[in-house]
Amino acid sequence: MKHLFLVRHAKSSWADESLSDRERPLNARGISQLAPLGNTLKSVGAFEGDVYSSNAKRAVATLQGILPDTVAAERCHTLSELYTFDYRRLLAWLEEQAEAPQITLVGHNPALLELAQSLLKQPPEQLPTASVIHIRLSIKHWRQIGRGKGKLVTLITPQDYSYAHFERKLKKRARTAGDDPARDIPKALHHQLDRLRQLERGVALGLDDEFLHQYRIAIRRSRAIAESVQDVTGDKSLAKGVKTLKRHARATGPLRDLHVFLQDLPELCADDAEIRAALQIWFEREAANHHKNLAKRLKSKRYQDSLEHWRNLIDSRKFQKLAATLRPKDIRRAVERRIKEFNKRTAELMHTSPDEDIHRLRKQLKRIRYLMELDAKTWKRNLKILKERQELYGRFQDLHVQILLLDQFRQAAPEVLPAALNGIVETLGNHKANARKQILTLGGLDGAPL
């Protein structure tokens, strides 16, 4: 069994027409692709064997930008014969290789894509820059390589491993301006559903945490719009769909909490590398387990059927008619009712109130904000204020969760540096207390458009 990784160089520059093709460098986008491409190749095991590259400037720059420090220099090779656009030359070169179990090759199209197409019975049609194809070959010697001998393990493109590159291809979010709810609200829900489907591959691969964050936002926005329509109209026909969206969001919560904690970990443990390493190993393992379960969930028939049901629901004539009944005055009344309830609960909040009371207020803030977004023109300035408040309440929630996570770690590994761990918990507790004070100082919300 042999493994072949074909890596197309990152995006190159055509700015200087005086340069020969071999001398063309990477452009800014190509440079930005290197770090996430390197992480991707490491995750799929592409650096476990020797790595070969064309000697073209853009290929060499790609090789240098993706290699982890753990790869020994003697396992990296730059060869002039790999600067080719003819796949037959690559095939001939592979046939001459020794008995290494795997080879990673950084090169050029159309040679790489046509090589893959010759080896695979169901080949990909495209190989964008900074993409990787992993092919498994049922052969004992490289000289046996030939047409149809390979099986595609995976094809990963920049849109799969980097949310920043994925986002370049996205359409702007459809907003409900309130001018025509019958058109705007179904359009917004379809847009969020399309985003969910587009984000699923990035979430399942788990190579960039931002995919999960954006996936959760798409679920929450969908749920919030539907709940807002229910709130204004009093109609419960969306209840089942809303419940399903809530279940999907809940399934992503623990993993997102771990992502936030791991992002904050370097700052939390800035003065103690030992405790940082211990926490990182433990929580990365926890995150990997949660991600595995989530990826399996996204492939399940139950999940796929639930989203198809949701699409049918928002396509239905009943929902179209329901959206058409919404009027700005109805939205305003619902907002004012929610604000009145929020202000009452805020007035009852004290320094000794349980954390759950603040979490409840955070959820109410979200509902108010999403109601306002059904008539965004009227509530434009209020929405800005609400967003700032949500960030504060959200930070309080993150701190609360992180303290709970550290308690879980302490129970699982009580012998690991208890004094240092106590210091981190105390720091988080102080930050949470400060966030609570800020929340108490803010008071209620203004119930009228600004």
Side-chain angles (χ1 to χ4, degrees):
M1 187 73 69
K2 302 293 186 185
H3 290 268
L4 178 62
F5 294 87
L6 302 178
V7 183
R8 188 179 175 191
H9 63 78
K11 192 75 174 177
S12 59
S13 173
W14 293 84
D16 189 346
E17 296 182 358
S18 67
L19 294 175
S20 68
D21 181 76
R22 195 186 293 258
E23 292 301 313
R24 287 194 295 109
L26 300 181
N27 65 12
R29 176 146 56 103
I31 293 171
S32 73
Q33 291 171 330
L34 296 179
L37 173 58
N39 291 334
T40 299
L41 291 169
K42 183 178 179 181
S43 73
V44 296
F47 297 125
E48 293 174 8
D50 281 14
V51 184
Y52 298 85
S53 169
S54 152
N55 69 344
K57 188 171 183 178
R58 59 191 182 277
V60 173
T62 299
L63 176 65
Q64 293 172 343
I66 62 177
L67 283 175
D69 296 337
T70 54
V71 177
E74 58 267 24
R75 290 204 289 111
C76 301
H77 317 273
T78 301
L79 305 176
S80 60
E81 57 261 43
L82 297 181
Y83 174 67
T84 180
F85 307 104
D86 186 343
Y87 84 94
R88 291 167 295 188
R89 292 181 63 184
L90 294 181
L91 194 60
W93 178 81
L94 285 166
E95 289 173 346
E96 296 174 356
Q97 298 312 299
E99 301 308 315
Q102 77 172 52
I103 289 175
T104 296
L105 196 158
V106 181
H108 309 267
N109 264 1
L112 292 180
L113 178 59
E114 290 178 357
L115 175 61
Q117 290 172 338
S118 75
L119 297 175
L120 299 170
K121 294 179 180 178
Q122 295 181 321
E125 295 180 359
Q126 294 181 331
L127 180 64
T129 54
S131 298
V132 56
I133 296 178
H134 177 191
I135 299 173
R136 183 171 62 245
L137 297 149
S138 297
I139 58 176
K140 188 174 181 180
H141 307 286
W142 284 106
R143 65 176 179 270
Q144 297 171 322
I145 193 171
R147 184 168 297 278
K149 293 289 186 70
K151 182 175 182 180
L152 180 65
V153 178
T154 188
L155 164 63
I156 306 177
T157 72
Q159 286 182 253
D160 299 323
Y161 61 68
S162 168
Y163 179 77
H165 290 95
F166 169 87
E167 190 179 27
R168 291 181 60 254
K169 302 291 186 179
L170 291 181
K171 296 178 181 179
K172 292 184 178 180
R173 180 166 69 90
R175 296 184 179 274
T176 53
D179 296 334
D180 186 356
R183 178 199 65 207
D184 292 342
I185 292 174
K187 181 180 178 182
L189 286 172
H190 275 100
H191 180 79
Q192 295 304 329
L193 178 56
D194 289 342
R195 275 181 62 81
L196 278 177
R197 304 320 305 250
Q198 292 163 352
L199 288 160
E200 284 170 0
R201 177 162 168 77
V203 174
L205 285 171
L207 297 167
D208 185 341
D209 295 351
E210 189 63 20
F211 280 105
L212 179 64
H213 178 53
Q214 295 298 327
Y215 176 86
R216 282 170 54 80
I217 289 174
I219 290 179
R220 290 203 303 264
R221 287 195 179 280
S222 300
R223 177 186 165 195
I225 293 171
E227 285 183 333
S228 298
V229 172
Q230 286 186 148
D231 197 355
V232 174
T233 64
D235 190 285
K236 300 300 181 183
S237 59
L238 295 173
K240 182 179 178 181
V242 168
K243 185 177 180 180
T244 299
L245 292 173
K246 184 177 181 180
R247 188 175 70 245
H248 293 329
R250 192 185 300 118
T252 66
L255 181 56
R256 180 57 185 168
D257 290 339
L258 288 165
H259 285 171
V260 173
F261 181 79
L262 286 166
Q263 289 166 10
D264 291 347
L265 195 56
E267 183 179 348
L268 284 173
C269 306
D271 299 325
D272 196 325
E274 189 175 359
I275 188 65
R276 175 183 171 182
L279 290 172
Q280 187 152 352
I281 290 171
W282 197 81
F283 283 108
E284 282 182 350
R285 186 172 64 246
E286 289 291 296
N289 290 334
H290 281 287
H291 174 259
K292 182 179 179 180
N293 292 333
L294 180 58
K296 183 178 179 181
R297 177 190 179 89
L298 294 180
K299 295 177 182 178
S300 70
K301 186 177 185 300
R302 184 185 182 192
Y303 171 82
Q304 297 297 331
D305 288 348
S306 72
L307 290 193
E308 188 60 31
H309 175 268
W310 178 245
R311 186 180 293 279
N312 291 337
L313 189 60
I314 60 181
D315 278 339
S316 66
R317 290 185 63 186
K318 183 174 183 179
F319 178 69
Q320 304 291 330
K321 290 180 179 179
L322 192 63
T325 66
L326 292 175
R327 297 291 180 269
K329 64 179 182 179
D330 301 319
I331 297 168
R332 178 167 179 162
R333 280 199 297 265
V335 170
E336 290 172 346
R337 185 171 67 251
R338 288 284 188 185
I339 288 177
K340 184 177 180 180
E341 182 182 351
F342 176 85
N343 288 345
K344 179 183 177 183
R345 290 185 179 274
T346 298
E348 295 170 350
L349 193 66
M350 301 189 305
H351 289 281
T352 55
S353 296
D355 289 355
E356 183 55 37
D357 287 355
I358 295 179
H359 302 334
R360 192 177 295 113
L361 287 169
R362 180 179 63 88
K363 292 175 183 177
Q364 286 187 311
L365 269 180
K366 286 196 295 184
R367 291 190 180 98
I368 293 169
R369 177 185 169 188
Y370 293 134
L371 269 172
M372 288 180 176
E373 286 184 343
L374 294 180
D375 186 11
K377 285 184 178 179
T378 299
W379 300 95
K380 183 176 180 179
R381 291 180 63 186
N382 301 73
L383 282 167
K384 183 178 179 181
I385 294 170
L386 241 62
K387 186 176 180 180
E388 292 171 354
R389 283 211 179 200
Q390 273 190 265
E391 289 175 357
L392 176 58
Y393 281 69
R395 184 56 184 159
F396 180 89
Q397 168 74 353
D398 288 341
L399 291 164
H400 169 84
V401 169
Q402 289 175 5
I403 291 171
L404 293 179
L405 288 173
L406 286 171
D407 285 342
Q408 292 174 15
F409 173 80
R410 187 171 5 219
Q411 293 173 19
E415 73 286 354
V416 177
L417 302 170
L421 199 59
N422 289 340
I424 297 172
V425 172
E426 183 179 355
T427 298
L428 289 173
N430 290 336
H431 290 330
K432 193 175 83 166
N434 288 333
R436 179 188 284 266
K437 287 179 183 178
Q438 293 179 55
I439 289 169
L440 287 167
T441 302
L442 288 173
L445 295 169
D446 189 344
L450 299 177

